[in-house]
Amino acid sequence: MNACEVSWFSALCDDDYEYLGVPDPKLQSSWEHCRDIVLQAESGGFDNVLLPSGYALGIDTTAFAAAIAVLVRRIRLLMAVRIGESWPPQLARQIATIDRILGADASGQGRLTINIISSDLPGETLASAPRYARTVEAMHILRTLLDGRPLDHDGDFWKLKLDPPRVGTVSGRSPAFYFGGLSEDAREAAAKGADVYLMWPDRMEAVRETIADLRARADKAGRSLRFGYRVHVVVRETEAAARDAADRLLSRLDDAAGAAIRAKSLDSQSAGVRRQAELRETAGGEGYAEDNLWTGIGRARSGCGAAIVGDPDQVLAKLEAYRALGIEAFILSGYPHGAEADLFARHVLPRLDHGPLVIA
């Protein structure tokens, strides 16, 4: 198997807790707190770090990415961008500028990667099919301009004839686009425009089926996809200690507070979120959907709602099983994010064959 990319997560969207569902002022999103998570991920040896984005919660992602870019020396940034809030030519300039600030890695490749989010414009709602069609257009515009090519685009959402921005990326090519979504429209958008298709946690058989489906769709579009997996982790020296740590996370959760947290998310009604709820509702009595895959986190979180829970050998075995299915990029997180990053970096990361994902 190829080396896998292992990323951590900086909680820009007010998603850091010691006890799930219990806000802690020390863990709220701020420049200082999120900066410290990124710097810890770099010192711990992670290859990349997701900088999530949400309109209603936390701090602005693009501004944070530009600021943190001058402080990191090796790690990549996976900057989430919300297409509904963006004018693609200006977004291309922002991406190229931040890529320049980050600089190149040892191979001369840029260190910025992009998580494309098919968002609405805040205050407006667009139906799924046109919203994803707009995202496909945006990816085409961004890729053309960031590849340094002139743009002549006559689409349903933008009609643009432009030269590329004078300042391009350090490699002269577009950064890789990471993209997720489980609906029919999302899958088609990924096949047409993404580089890395991201999945949320699910049972092994479902992961296998999703990879096969997306490969077939991309092949039909004359393209190929790589695959990534977004999941939380709870790793301790023994399985019993890991399960105790998972239980502790929920020990102060009020169900009504958890439901309110889930409802705040702008994607709370998406197909992917519904699937996370189904996974949780059909899990066993202790919340385990299958060996070492615990769905309790989804009780107080929209989106990625499950964690790999176990001792270092079990967590490693689970990740290797995903790799055997075709997963080449992991985006991991845990609560609190700083403490769990340190535990994973000490117990599991050195045993994984990992490195930045290279998109040919």
Side-chain angles (χ1 to χ4, degrees), residues 181-201:
L182 205 56
S183 70
E184 181 73 14
D185 295 325
R187 292 173 187 236
E188 283 299 302
K192 292 174 182 176
D195 297 298
V196 182
Y197 178 75
L198 292 175
M199 284 171 274
W200 283 338

Side-chain angles (χ1 to χ4, degrees), residues 35 84 300 342:
R35 173 202 63 197
D342 177 65

